[in-house]
Each structure stands twice: as structure tokens, then as C-alpha cells.
Amino acid sequence: MTYVEYKQLNPFQRFVHNFKKFFTNIPSALGRFISACGRGIVKFFTGIGKGFKNYGVTFVKGDWATKLSYLIFGIGDLHKGKTYKGILFFLSEVLYALYMIFFGWGWVKDFPTLGTVPTRWESDGFTEIQIPGDNSMLILLYSTLTLVITAIIFVIYIQNIKDAYRHQVMRANGEKPTTLKQDAQEFLDGKYHITLMSFPVLMISIFNILPLIFMILIAFTNYSKQHYTLFDWVGLQNFGQLFDVINSNKKAVTFIGIAEWTLIWAVVATFSNYILGMVVALMINKKGIKLKSLWRTLFVITIAVPQFVSLLLMNQMLQENGAVNIFLGLFNGGHNPGIRFLGDDVWVARITVMVVNCWVGIPYTILSMSGILMNIPEDLYESARIDGASPVKTFTAITLPYMIFVTTPQLITQFVGNINNFNVIFLLSGGGPTTTEYFGAGKTDILVTWLYNLSMGNEQDYGLASAIGILVFIICATLSLIVYNNSKSMKDEEAFS
Amino acid sequence: MIKSYKARRIIANTLIYIILAVMCLIWISPFVYLLLHSFRGEGGNVTVNYLIPKTYTLQNYINLFSGAGGDASINFPRWFLNTFVVACFSCVISTISVLAVSYSLSRLRFGARKKLMNVGMILGMFPGFMTMIAMYYLLDAMGLTRTLVALVICYSCGAGLGFQISKGFFDTIPRALDEAATIDGANKNQIFWKIILPMSKPIVVYTVLTAFIGPWTDFILAKIIMGDVRENYTVAIGLQAMTTPEFIQGYYKQYLAGSVCVAVPITILFLRMQKYYVEGVTAGGVKG
Amino acid sequence: MKKVLAILLAGMMTATALAGCGGSSESTASSQGSGSAASGGSVAADGKVDASMFGSETDITLKVWAPDKGVKLAKEQVEKFKKMYPDVKFKKIDVVAQGENDAATQIVNDPNKAADVFSFPSDQFNKLDDAEALAPVATALKDSVSKNNDPKTVDAATMDGKLFAYPETNDNGYYLVYDKRVVTDENAKTLEGVLKACKDNKKEFIMDCGNGYYSCTFAFTAGAIIDGFEEDGETQKFKEYDEDEAVETLMAFARLMKEYKGTFKSLDPAQITSGFQNGTLGAGVDGSWNSKADEDALGENYGVSALPTINVNGKDKQLISMFGYKYIGVNAKTKFPRSAQILANYLAGEECQIERAKQLGWGPSNLKAQEDEAVKGSATLQAIAAQSKNAVAQVNIQGTFWQAMGTLGSEMLKDGWDPENKDATKKLLQGTIKDVRDE
């Protein structure tokens, strides 16, 4: 379609066109994604190559202080009169050395084996006493910590060399190094991002990135209740079990079953919330409907009440003799129909969960849609009215396409959110109805609740849980990347229209 | 013609009113049920087989706050205070983190900007539960497990990753403002505090609000961290514990009362801030 | 640049903190061991322990976990324990509330922060054992513990010839509770009688058939009784049984479910107490943990007995249930192994068991305590004791067991289930066994 043809379409047709294009674009987006990955890898290695080159070149060109900086941090800076920075560099090396000698090395040396000494018992004549052996989990955790610290030290090391060489060049040009006060000023202006971001980034590194690396490593071990204190590297075994469909491995059966339901769940939950929420939002915001804010407020209460209150309440109300059945009984001559909403019928339970999810999710859609509806430019309506368009026409030609267009990116965020929608499943059905076909999961469990069951619930299999987490990540990341690529092209078109 | 058009509109509007009224009823009735039964006088500590209670009393609330009707390990006032303290601290830290990160990524230009944004996006795509065990042992190594400090850290450490919405908001502020201020001799620090922040009330309120509510609703991480130390529980774990088979027989009505005590303040807070929430979400969401 | 430095410094600080912890945890257990080795002679036949047995342990700090209802009593008992040994230096013995259903999970999650001495039900044995979380009963105390307690409770806690915990109760099971106004003591003897009485009075009967813990009664009564593991240590073993008879028995259950539809309800047992309170319930299958609540709800009309019989082809068959015990365990990671063992031994002793029977209604495992008047005089405890004779011990059970048994119960309860269909029943039974054995 040419640009002119595109321009002649009405907004709704444009949306349909874009919508179709979105799906036809998926293969090419994937292609682009893969080639981008390829380019990234190439860039990474050329980067490393360049790094090595610079490393050598600097050494050759450096004076004695710069050369000494290759061994002792900060000498270059100290020699050039940048005292405080030199001291900091030097201190970091000393601290790192102390850390490695007194703590780090003790754990890292066991990293390849994850420990070999088993726990044993010794009698003292009265009772047996446990003599703890190696603890693989701690070895892995502290090794990861040590690796992260080493990586940081490496960055500091490179910075130290660069800094030494920079100051050498500055001295050769007759410039003086900046003073502490000047540097401090710079942190409020040119380097303000460092001032602002160092604290959050530090927190994220310690409490998000470090644990994440640890858990990713766990996916390659057999850490589970059978191997609690001492466990081993097992390579890709956990992933293998999840995809071992040929031998109908129980874990594979569970994974396929749950992944299937997770996708059904995410699609239904996303679209039901989106469409129904949009309908309600349109009703509330229709011209001539009074008490707009009251209606909105009543719906929004569901968002405000914490989910563990509202969903646990829902769980109790949906029991066989809970409030919902009692209420239905009122239409049944006071006879409680005793429907087992969350009982052992798989699809009854699944539909119940999806319906309750509407109750939870629609208000969110109403809120964001209301905001968008109020933001539709008035002049669009104005010109429509001058053209003599009927209200129905105005709606189909302006309101609807505008809303769909603006909110499509949100759909994807919600889709990813629903794949990870832990609360609704965990609090409402607890994963039930239970089944013997699955390993540590029930018929309404989705991938994240299964992950929870395997790591903090009844069935301890941390290795498998981590593998599932990685797979969830891959699913979400792929989806987001496709959408990201697509929506960028959509945005471009929006720009020239 | 005009008359029939008007008639049609009235019919349509009436229909909409009816639909909205029925839907609101469905949406609100669980909470009405909760509220009514939290005051229920009769029927012991169990569910009953009718919808509207027959007698009303304040006793459930009195029991809840005095710890009567059971043993001392149910200490709701203490839990409420704990949650409030944790919420306040983590709210301050989270808000600072989110605003600092989103402001930097939105309005400052530096080399690692794109890379940091990508890393942030990637980290956000791993399921949160994956890291819990490792986080527990890290906190344990620092000697912080079983303390409220650990909870504050847990709730605020990842806050910086939730920068998207407020970044979207900051993106909408014209850059000309910064440029004008720079010409007047202001540095980046002054621009942030004196110009941008005062303009960003909706997003600040939105950030504060979400950060404050978090600790009131989490029950999984908190339970793992607190273990058997009941006096350091938050309301969410406490209330969830009350629904376990061991307690539900003795505490059902207290549980309902406790749920009301948590839900009401948060709801009021939320409704009062709703305006900012909508502004923040739409401004940040549509652009971002 | 500076950011990187800041990260490093904070990392270092963290690391020093870590170093402090890592070092200390390795040397804890061994430091206590070399105390004066006590001779076996100072353990009396009734399990009383001499003060010299504490060895070199001093400034003793212990934590005890008790379920919420038992915290107050446990505190009193700990005080008595301290008074028994005036020469031993106790620094602090805390009693902390911890739900028993969660005890193993809490221990396994972080043994170093968990209690030194804790109470737990028998079905958590495997989990604790997998994690090497239990310290075996002190060698010096083992004989007296084995001799003084019900052999069944001792056997269930013995693995590879080692006794792994101190028996605390012999009561963790379910039985029949009924409203005497609805069900007479005579009715209560047969399941048919119970259901008929309930139906005639327009009351309900509750048994949680979807829950494997209760519905395994069907399989057990039919003869499919579990018997530990096969040689591989994982596959559940069943005793040999006559399949035809088993099928007939299941059909008899299904017939009753169908005949008394609307009366026979499969609900969470928590509903039993409320049913009695609301007056909608005639009888139910409930557990010992609810006995106080049920008794309070019914007052003088509280009726209790062992599970009834069911008529299979003209023959009355006794219902066989799942039955568990509670134990007091010692944390393998305790810093005061001797003191913890002695305290556990005391808390599981005759005197403490009788106190619990009196105040909490827990059925003792100690043989002498079982003969105590307080126990003999309690209708509930007698019903439990009677049921325990027709019960399967809740130990060595594969995780697959519960779901498979739950499915058995809920299948039979379904609307479309035909109780006269022999083939379907046979298939269901075979399927259940297969699922339990995870074949």
C-alpha cells in the first residue's frame, strides 16, 4: 500500500490495516531481532578486541607511573597530583585483596564442584552431634558474590589505567588535573546522572542482579529436596526434563499442560478485560450520563482494596456453601444449588478464575480508558459535527479507532502481566483442582504459580523452578521484542499521517 | 424525527444506567458483605448460611485490637504499626529511587543511558519469585532476616526498575524549560529540584501512592523473611495466617474485621489520590 | 566511575558482614561435643535425666516451637523443667508459637533460625529427613523412650534402626462426631444408620471426600492398605488384597453417596463446627484438632465415636482411617545438643503428656499416661484410641498418594457416577493405585 492510499483510509480502516500488518510483520520482526542479536554479538567481540588493543597500546605509551598502575591501582593518579582519586583506587585494590584472601577465595575454590564434604554425625557418649559438611547453596551464593565483585574490580582496574593515561596526556599538554571541589561541582551538573543513579543502581545490583545470576546458575544444578545441602552441576538436565515429551516425562507433561493453559489464560484474561473494560468506560463517559465520577469510584474500589483481602474473600464466597451459592439459592426457592465453583471440575474452575479476573481487572481498564477518552482532541468532534456526522458515525469513525490505536501497546504489557499474574491464581484457586498428572501443580496453576510451588511451596525442586523462570523470561522477552519492533514501525507511520 | 431521536436517547441512557447499576452492584457487593459480616454478632467464628447478619456488634473489632478471644500471638495493633513504619520508610526510599532513575533516563544524556534502560527492561521480565531465595540468604548473611529493615530493603530495592511510567511523564515536559534555566545559570541539580519536580505533582503522588501501598499487600516475601517472629509480622501475613486451618475456627470474624481495617484506609487514600493516579497513568502510559 | 567505587565499597562492607557469619557457623556444633562423657547409668527407667547429662553446656539458650493453642502450657512446662535442674545454667528458653502444619517447611527453609526443639506431625518426617534436619534421639535416652511409648508411635519414627524423634501424641486422626439429638449412639455404629438418621431429620453429613487425607478411608476399608515403600525407596507399596472384595466395598460406598445425595456432603471439615453451630448438621468426620470446637458447639449433645462400619454384601466392615502421631524433634543444627535432647525428652515425658491431655485434649503416646484417669474419662480420647486400632500409620507416604486418593473420592461422588458399574469401579481403583505408585 502506498502512502497516498494509506492516507485515504478512514482511521478505523487504518487500524485494521495496522492490525493486520502487526501479525504479518511478526516473521520479519523475528528475523530483524535475530540479526540484531548477531550484530550485537559481533560488536561485543570487536569491543573486546579493541579493549585488548587499547590495553596494550596504553602500556607501551605510558610513563613509569602509568605502567605501575597496571599492577598497583592509583599510582598514575597519585603521581599526577590527583591525590584523592589515586587513594580511592589504591584502597579498592587493598580491600579487594583482603576480601579475596579472607573470604572470597574460600568459597570460589569450591565453585567447580559445589562442595564435596558430606554432613556427618559424631557421638559424644550421650547423643549424636551433627558435624556440618559443605553447603553447596552457600558456596554458589558467595561465589556469585565474589564473581560480581571481581567484575566490578575489573572495571575499576580498567578505569584506573585509562585515568592514569588521561592524566599523563593532560600533563604533557600542560593541563592541571581538576580539584576535588571542581569534581564535586561537576557531580551536580554534567555528571548529575551519577549522583542520582548510584544509589538505585547499587540497590538493584545487590538485591536484584546478584540474586538473579545466582538463580540462573541454580537452573543448571540439581538443587532439590533430595539434594538439599550438597548438590551438583547437571548441565541442561532440568531443561531436558521439561521438554522430554518423547518419554512423556511427568515434568514435561506438566510443563506442556501448564504452558498451554498459561497462554489460554493470558489471551482470555487480556482481551476480556480490555473489551469489557472499554465498553464500561464508554458507557460511563457517554454524553448525558450523570454521576460519572461516582460510577468510576465504585468500580475503582476493587483496585484500592488489597488483593489478598478481595481475592481471599472471593475464594470463601465461591465455596459450596459460600455467599454466591446462597445468593443463587434465593432464586431457587431458598435451596442452595451447591455449585462447586473451585471444585474438581477443571473447566468450571478455570472459567471461574477467568470471570473473577474480570472483576479484578476491568476497573484498571476503565481507569486508563477514561483518561484517554477525556484526552481525545475536541476539534475532531467539532469538525465531525460540522460535516453533519451522526453520533453513531462519530463514535465509529473517531472515538473507537482513536482508543484502539492509543491502547494497543498497553495490551501487550497487560498480556505479559497476565502471564505473570500470580495473585489471582494463588489466592483464588490455589492452583486446584489437584491432579496426579502433574508434578507439583494443579489444573489452574500457571507457570509462575508452579514456579512458586517448586521453590517455596510443597515440592522443593529449585533447579527446575529456576529453569521454568528462565523459560518464562524467554517467552516474555520474545513477545516484548516483537511488539517493540512492530510498534516502532507503527509509530513511524503515525508520524507522517 | 427529533422527538424520536430524543426518545431513543432517553431509552439508551436508561438502559446504560440500569447496566451500570447492576454492574456496580456486582462489583461492590463482596465488599458490602465483608463490611456487614465484620460486624456480625451471632453465629460464632464461622461462615453462616445466610447473606445479611442478624445482629451487629463491635466486639469483633475490640477482640481484634485487644488480642482477646485467643492467645497473645495474634497482635494486630502491632502488625498495623509494623506495616505503617515499613510502608513509610520504603515509600521514601522507593520514591527517591524511582524519581532519580526516571529523571536521569528521561532528561539527562549520558553514554550508558540506552544500555541501562535495556538492562532495566530485561530485569523486569524475570519472574520476581525466582530471586526470593537468594535474596533471603543475602539478607541472612547481613543479619537482617526477621527484622523490619529487611522488609524495607525488599520493598524498595527494586523500585528503580519501575521507572517506565514516570519516565514517560518526564518525557512530556518540554526541553525548552531546561535550556532556558541553563542559560539563566542553573545547574542540573537546581533544574531538577526547582523546576521539574514542582511541575510533576501527579507523578510524584502516583509514585508515593504505589510505593506506600506495596507493603500492605505483600504476604509471600514478608512471610519468608519473618518466619516465626510474629511480633514483626505485617498485616498481610497476619491476616493470611488467620485464614489457615489452624486459626480460621477461632479468628474468622476477627479476620473479616482486620480485612476491613486494612482495606478502608487504603481505599480512602486511593480514592483521594485517584485524580493523580489517572493523570500519571495516562500521561506516562500513552507516551511511554 | 565514582559509582563503581561506591558499589565496590558497599560490596566490601557486605562481604565483611558475610565473613563474620560464615566463619562462626562452621564451628558451632563441634565446640560443645567434647564435654565430660556421661555414663548411661543416670537415666532412670521412667526417662528422668540426671543433671550431669548436660555435660559442659552452660548459658543454655534454646527455642521451643509449640502450636498456638499449646504455647501457654509449654511455657509452664519449660519453667518446671528449669526448676528441676537448679545447678544447670539456663540463659533463656523461649517458647514461640509456630503452626505444626508448617513446622517442617519452616525448619527446612532456614534451620539456623528455627527452633531447637519443636513439635510436628508424623507426615512431615520424610521432608525433615530429606533435609537432614532432625537429630536422632540421644543414644542414652533411646531405650527408655522406646519402652515407655506406644510401639506404633516408636516404629513410625524409626528409620534404619535409629529413633528420630520423641513421640508426643497418639491422636492425630479423625473419627465420627455427631449431634446426639439427631444420631443416637446406636445409629452411630453403622454408616447406614448415621446417614439414615441425618436424612430423616433433614440434616447433613459431612466428610471431605475430595481430600485424600479423608478419602483414603475408602481404599483402606476396601483393603488397599499402604505398607511403606518398595525396595527403590520411592514407590508406594500396598498390602495384598482381594480385588473383587475391594470393588464391592467401593460400590457400597458409592451406593450410599448416591442414595443419600443432598445429605452426604463433601465439604471442608472446617464447615463441621459451623454446621453444628447453625444446626444444619447431623454428623461428620472430623479430626482431633477440632474436638474442642465441636464440643463447644454441641455442648451436652456432643456425641463421638470411632468411625462406623459399612455393610458390604451383608457383612459389616469397619472403616479404616489414616492415623498420624505427633512428635517432638530436635533440630540437627542446635547449638546445645545435649540440653535440647534433655528438654525434648522432658516435654515428651509422661507428666507433660498428661498435662496436655487434661488441658488441650491431646491423646498421649506414653503408655502410662494412656492409663491416666484424665485420658480414660474423655469420650473424645477414647474414640480416638478406639479408631487408632483400625488405622493406618501416616508415615512413609509418597506425595502422589494424596491427590490420587482425593480423585478416588471425588470421582465416586460425581453426579454421573454409577455405583452399580463394576467395571468402572474396578478401573477407578486400579487407576488410583497406579497413580499412587506413579507408574
Side-chain angles (χ1 to χ4, degrees):
Chain A
M1 192 184 306
T2 65
Y3 171 65
V4 178
E5 277 168 343
Y6 180 80
K7 286 299 284 183
Q8 281 164 349
L9 299 176
N10 73 29
F12 188 70
Q13 284 167 319
R14 278 187 208 176
F15 167 74
V16 173
H17 168 69
N18 284 330
F19 195 75
K20 255 196 270 173
K21 215 170 149 195
F22 172 80
F23 284 100
T24 49
N25 265 351
I26 287 179
S28 69
L30 266 179
R32 245 178 297 158
F33 167 56
I34 291 165
S35 72
C37 285
R39 252 178 289 140
I41 292 168
V42 172
K43 217 168 140 193
F44 178 73
F45 281 106
T46 48
I48 288 182
K50 222 168 120 195
F52 268 114
K53 205 182 124 202
N54 283 343
Y55 185 79
V57 168
T58 313
F59 187 76
V60 175
K61 286 190 187 160
D63 62 4
W64 67 269
T66 308
K67 281 191 172 120
L68 204 53
S69 298
Y70 276 69
L71 271 183
I72 303 168
F73 293 17
I75 294 293
D77 278 6
L78 280 172
H79 176 244
K80 306 296 175 321
K82 185 93 177 174
T83 323
Y84 84 95
K85 217 169 174 183
I87 291 173
L88 282 178
F89 275 133
F90 183 69
L91 264 180
S92 69
E93 185 176 16
V94 171
L95 280 174
Y96 178 71
L98 289 175
Y99 167 81
M100 280 310 272
I101 293 165
F102 291 108
F103 184 78
W105 180 244
W107 297 103
V108 170
K109 71 173 168 31
D110 287 329
F111 184 69
T113 57
L114 291 178
T116 47
V117 185
T119 305
R120 61 199 170 83
W121 293 85
E122 227 167 56
S123 178
D124 75 337
F126 173 75
T127 185
E128 285 185 80
I129 290 160
Q130 192 184 48
I131 314 290
D134 286 339
N135 185 329
S136 305
M137 197 275 302
L138 290 181
I139 291 173
L140 192 56
L141 183 66
Y142 294 143
S143 299
T144 316
L145 177 72
T146 309
L147 289 180
V148 170
I149 290 179
T150 308
I152 294 168
I153 276 293
F154 182 74
V155 174
I156 293 176
Y157 173 64
I158 297 296
Q159 283 297 331
N160 142 63
I161 291 170
K162 277 190 186 162
D163 219 44
Y165 186 66
R166 192 166 59 91
H167 283 110
Q168 183 190 332
V169 174
M170 278 169 74
R171 175 176 279 191
N173 295 343
E175 293 168 45
K176 271 202 166 146
T178 49
T179 63
L180 179 58
K181 206 178 154 196
Q182 282 169 321
D183 285 349
Q185 277 297 328
E186 188 63 7
F187 273 112
L188 290 179
D189 199 23
K191 289 182 181 166
Y192 192 44
H193 59 276
I194 294 179
T195 318
L196 281 181
M197 289 189 65
S198 32
F199 174 70
V201 169
L202 175 71
M203 293 283 272
I204 291 168
S205 312
I206 297 178
F207 293 105
N208 289 75
I209 298 180
L210 178 61
L212 200 60
I213 298 174
F214 171 77
M215 289 313 285
I216 290 173
L217 290 173
I218 288 281
F220 303 96
T221 69
N222 60 359
Y223 187 19
S224 62
K225 67 177 176 186
Q226 285 85 11
H227 307 273
Y228 192 72
T229 30
L230 267 191
F231 53 85
D232 267 319
W233 296 109
V234 293
L236 292 171
Q237 187 188 301
N238 290 314
F239 295 92
Q241 283 175 337
L242 286 177
F243 290 106
D244 185 13
V245 196
I246 305 151
N247 299 324
S248 66
N249 186 313
K250 197 165 186 177
K251 289 169 185 170
V253 173
T254 316
F255 176 68
I256 303 293
I258 290 186
E260 192 186 27
W261 160 238
T262 306
L263 286 181
I264 297 175
W265 154 259
V267 170
V268 174
T270 308
F271 282 95
S272 61
N273 281 352
Y274 181 71
I275 294 166
L276 293 175
M278 184 152 70
V279 170
V280 180
L282 285 170
M283 288 200 288
I284 294 176
N285 288 288
K286 184 175 182 291
K287 277 221 175 77
I289 296 290
K290 293 197 176 69
L291 303 170
K292 284 188 167 48
S293 69
L294 173 77
W295 297 120
R296 226 179 3 247
T297 306
L298 285 175
F299 280 107
V300 164
I301 288 178
T302 331
I303 302 184
V305 175
Q307 290 199 338
F308 79 90
V309 170
S310 57
L311 288 172
L312 280 179
L313 178 70
M314 269 292 177
N315 172 297
Q316 287 172 359
M317 293 178 78
L318 289 166
Q319 294 302 317
E320 199 172 340
N321 55 354
V324 175
N325 270 315
I326 297 170
F327 178 74
L328 293 176
L330 296 180
F331 301 99
N332 195 14
H335 179 72
N336 183 344
I339 301 168
R340 295 162 69 88
F341 288 104
L342 299 167
D344 33 50
D345 191 301
V346 175
W347 281 102
V348 170
R350 285 183 174 182
I351 290 169
T352 307
V353 172
M354 291 195 277
V355 169
V356 174
N357 184 59
C358 285
W359 182 75
V360 174
I362 285 179
Y364 284 96
T365 323
I366 295 178
L367 256 193
S368 61
M369 290 274 183
S370 297
I372 292 160
L373 280 174
M374 287 186 278
N375 280 348
I376 297 183
E378 222 10 78
D379 50 344
L380 277 180
Y381 290 111
E382 204 61 51
S383 51
R385 210 170 305 138
I386 291 165
D387 289 348
S390 72
V392 180
K393 181 90 182 137
T394 330
F395 174 74
T396 51
I398 300 175
T399 315
L400 199 62
Y402 186 88
M403 279 176 68
I404 294 175
F405 201 87
V406 171
T407 51
T408 313
Q410 283 184 16
L411 263 182
I412 309 303
T413 333
Q414 277 173 15
F415 189 82
V416 172
N418 273 322
I419 289 180
N420 289 311
N421 198 337
F422 178 83
N423 273 358
V424 172
I425 304 289
F426 183 79
L427 292 171
L428 198 62
S429 72
T434 53
T435 170
T436 47
E437 292 162 38
Y438 285 178
F439 175 77
K443 281 285 186 180
T444 55
D445 265 319
I446 55 175
L447 287 170
V448 276
T449 54
W450 188 32
L451 191 159
Y452 173 86
N453 288 346
L454 290 177
S455 55
M456 272 153 288
N458 293 322
E459 200 74 48
Q460 265 92 13
D461 195 335
Y462 306 101
L464 195 68
S466 293
I468 295 166
I470 291 173
L471 291 175
V472 170
F473 163 75
I474 291 174
I475 294 172
C476 293
T478 317
L479 273 174
S480 310
L481 272 169
I482 292 173
V483 171
Y484 180 71
N485 272 334
N486 262 304
S487 66
K488 225 166 78 179
S489 61
M490 276 163 118
K491 262 182 209 153
D492 293 344
E493 274 169 32
E494 175 81 320
F496 65 68
S497 69
Chain B
M1 183 66 203
I2 288 187
K3 206 174 177 185
S4 81
Y5 172 66
K6 216 173 176 180
R8 249 172 46 201
R9 208 173 73 182
I10 289 172
I11 291 171
N13 281 3
T14 325
L15 212 65
I16 288 178
Y17 279 126
I18 292 171
I19 296 173
L20 281 180
V22 170
M23 285 189 78
C24 279
L25 215 64
I26 296 173
W27 253 254
I28 293 305
S29 53
F31 301 120
V32 176
Y33 177 87
L34 172 69
L35 198 65
L36 288 180
H37 281 257
S38 73
F39 288 105
R40 191 179 77 207
E42 80 288 353
N45 259 314
V46 285
T47 48
V48 284
N49 58 352
Y50 44 87
L51 292 175
I52 315 273
K54 296 184 175 106
T55 54
Y56 294 94
T57 172
L58 278 174
Q59 199 56 45
N60 303 333
Y61 287 85
I62 296 169
N63 284 350
L64 179 72
F65 279 95
S66 63
D71 40 75
S73 58
I74 297 282
N75 189 347
F76 194 76
R78 174 70 193 258
W79 296 344
F80 205 89
L81 189 70
N82 287 345
T83 322
F84 184 75
V85 170
V86 170
C88 287
F89 277 99
S90 69
C91 170
V92 171
I93 300 175
S94 304
T95 309
I96 292 173
S97 302
V98 173
L99 291 178
V101 171
S102 52
Y103 178 81
S104 309
L105 293 178
S106 165
R107 305 191 74 78
L108 302 175
R109 290 290 172 269
F110 50 95
R113 195 180 78 101
K114 274 262 158 62
K115 267 182 209 143
L116 282 177
M117 273 167 68
N118 288 339
V119 169
M121 226 171 78
I122 289 170
L123 285 178
M125 275 183 250
F126 280 99
F129 295 114
M130 261 179 89
T131 57
M132 258 182 210
I133 301 165
M135 196 128 110
Y136 177 87
Y137 285 103
L138 270 179
L139 291 166
D140 193 39
M142 297 175 193
L144 290 176
T145 44
R146 311 284 189 267
T147 64
L148 293 175
V149 179
L151 280 188
V152 174
I153 291 178
C154 285
Y155 293 139
S156 50
C157 66
L161 292 171
F163 59 82
Q164 278 89 353
I165 288 185
S166 54
K167 178 184 171 291
F169 182 89
F170 285 130
D171 285 343
T172 59
I173 301 175
R175 288 196 72 81
L177 274 175
D178 299 44
E179 282 152 21
T182 315
I183 292 167
D184 289 348
N187 65 16
K188 296 264 166 62
N189 184 41
Q190 287 159 334
I191 295 174
F192 177 54
W193 291 104
K194 298 219 172 100
I195 298 174
I196 306 295
L197 217 49
M199 292 177 64
S200 315
K201 200 177 164 197
I203 204 67
V204 174
V205 173
Y206 167 76
T207 315
V208 168
L209 187 71
T210 38
F212 187 79
I213 289 177
W216 297 87
T217 59
D218 167 73
F219 55 96
I220 287 176
L221 194 62
K223 173 84 216 257
I224 289 170
I225 286 170
M226 288 313 168
D228 62 339
V229 183
R230 291 239 171 103
E231 68 259 27
N232 281 349
Y233 272 16
T234 60
V235 280
I237 346 172
L239 287 175
Q240 227 244 340
M242 283 191 202
T243 61
T244 54
E246 195 170 351
F247 285 107
I248 191 82
Q249 295 276 336
Y251 291 94
Y252 182 70
K253 288 200 281 191
Q254 272 112 302
Y255 158 72
L256 294 180
S259 299
V260 172
C261 290
V262 176
V264 166
I266 293 186
T267 311
I268 292 172
L269 203 67
F270 193 89
L271 292 180
R272 298 211 70 178
M273 309 254 184
Q274 201 203 127
K275 197 181 83 184
Y276 300 111
Y277 182 91
V278 174
E279 274 179 46
V281 169
T282 41
V286 173
K287 260 300 272 212
Chain C
M1 181 58 237
K2 301 288 183 309
K3 177 186 73 198
V4 173
L5 260 180
I7 293 175
L8 179 85
L9 286 174
M12 297 295 175
M13 267 143 57
T14 324
T16 6
L18 299 182
C21 297
S24 63
S25 68
E26 280 176 24
S27 59
T28 45
S30 53
S31 63
Q32 316 290 343
S34 52
S36 63
S39 61
S42 41
V43 178
D46 61 354
K48 294 245 163 57
V49 177
D50 195 272
S52 68
M53 294 292 224
F54 283 89
S56 60
E57 286 179 9
T58 181
D59 283 338
I60 294 159
T61 315
L62 292 171
K63 181 156 84 172
V64 179
W65 274 352
D68 289 79
K69 286 166 195 159
V71 169
K72 199 168 145 259
L73 180 58
K75 276 187 178 151
E76 290 166 20
Q77 291 174 338
V78 163
E79 283 313 309
K80 268 190 226 161
F81 173 75
K82 282 197 208 162
K83 285 206 185 89
M84 276 170 63
Y85 301 102
D87 299 332
V88 179
K89 260 182 94 183
F90 295 107
K91 197 170 172 194
K92 198 167 73 168
I93 302 184
D94 283 328
V95 179
V96 175
Q98 167 65 49
E100 284 169 335
N101 54 348
D102 209 18
T105 312
Q106 290 292 334
I107 300 256
V108 170
N109 278 352
D110 192 352
N112 292 313
K113 287 253 174 2
D116 302 279
V117 175
F118 58 96
S119 170
F120 68 96
S122 49
D123 56 315
Q124 294 177 8
F125 248 117
N126 290 346
K127 193 167 190 170
L128 291 166
D129 186 46
D130 281 337
E132 298 181 305
L134 278 176
V137 168
T139 27
L141 298 170
K142 196 186 155 199
D143 287 344
S144 75
V145 172
S146 316
K147 215 164 52 206
N148 292 329
N149 284 288
D150 199 315
K152 270 201 206 166
T153 62
V154 175
D155 286 349
T158 305
M159 270 176 253
D160 304 328
K162 269 188 190 172
L163 180 62
F164 270 91
Y166 297 84
E168 185 189 18
T169 75
N170 175 33
D171 72 348
N172 217 17
Y174 44 93
Y175 44 81
L176 184 74
V177 278
Y178 51 93
D179 186 339
K180 281 190 173 168
R181 287 165 296 187
V182 179
V183 180
T184 62
D185 290 347
E186 194 55 35
N187 290 150
K189 284 186 177 142
T190 64
L191 189 54
E192 292 83 1
V194 174
L195 286 166
K196 189 165 184 309
C198 288
K199 195 179 186 182
D200 291 348
N201 288 286
K202 296 214 169 64
K203 302 279 159 123
E204 291 172 347
F205 168 81
I206 291 183
M207 176 171 176
D208 195 358
C209 298
N211 182 338
Y213 180 63
Y214 297 92
S215 58
C216 60
T217 300
F218 305 137
F220 291 166
T221 310
I225 291 172
I226 50 168
D227 186 21
F229 296 130
E230 301 279 5
E231 277 169 16
D232 62 3
E234 273 182 24
T235 313
Q236 195 83 60
K237 198 168 141 193
F238 280 86
K239 286 187 179 157
E240 278 191 21
Y241 60 92
D242 178 359
E243 194 168 56
D244 284 338
E245 201 193 320
V247 171
E248 290 291 338
T249 313
L250 289 182
M251 282 162 67
F253 276 114
R255 247 175 245 136
L256 284 179
M257 287 176 192
K258 189 160 191 185
E259 187 182 343
Y260 292 99
K261 191 154 216 60
T263 301
F264 196 125
K265 291 266 169 147
S266 168
L267 289 177
D268 189 316
Q271 302 294 341
I272 290 176
T273 312
S274 64
F276 283 139
Q277 275 171 356
N278 301 335
T280 56
L281 196 70
V285 174
D286 204 359
S288 39
W289 46 94
N290 277 340
S291 59
K292 267 246 143 57
D294 291 340
E295 208 171 335
D296 290 346
L298 283 174
E300 59 177 11
N301 297 312
Y302 176 67
V304 59
S305 74
L307 291 179
T309 59
I310 181 167
N311 192 306
V312 183
N313 294 338
K315 221 171 77 189
D316 280 336
K317 249 182 148 177
Q318 172 65 41
L319 263 60
I320 297 175
S321 66
M322 175 70 86
F323 205 85
Y325 321 104
K326 276 190 219 162
Y327 294 91
I328 295 183
V330 173
N331 188 338
K333 296 268 188 297
T334 178
K335 295 191 172 103
F336 300 91
R338 285 170 167 245
S339 318
Q341 293 279 359
I342 297 167
L343 176 59
N345 181 53
Y346 172 76
L347 288 176
E350 179 191 337
E351 190 189 335
C352 289
Q353 288 205 8
I354 292 173
E355 281 174 352
R356 275 193 290 266
K358 280 182 188 158
Q359 295 188 28
L360 308 172
W362 293 7
S365 62
N366 185 292
L367 293 170
K368 278 195 197 129
Q370 284 181 354
E371 299 304 315
D372 192 86
E373 275 168 41
V375 179
K376 288 270 178 204
S378 156
T380 312
L381 288 181
Q382 287 310 303
I384 292 171
Q387 185 59 38
S388 80
K389 295 193 174 66
N390 297 307
V392 177
Q394 192 181 346
V395 281
N396 293 331
I397 292 170
Q398 228 351 297
T400 49
F401 176 86
W402 309 105
Q403 286 179 4
M405 287 295 170
T407 314
L408 173 77
S410 42
E411 279 296 322
M412 282 166 42
L413 203 70
K414 268 189 186 156
D415 278 339
W417 186 258
D418 176 12
E420 305 306 331
N421 189 337
K422 209 167 182 170
D423 289 339
T425 311
K426 196 170 182 174
K427 223 170 130 191
L428 178 66
L429 177 66
Q430 286 169 345
T432 306
I433 306 285
K434 214 176 129 191
D435 281 341
V436 171
R437 290 169 59 84
D438 200 9
E439 281 166 343

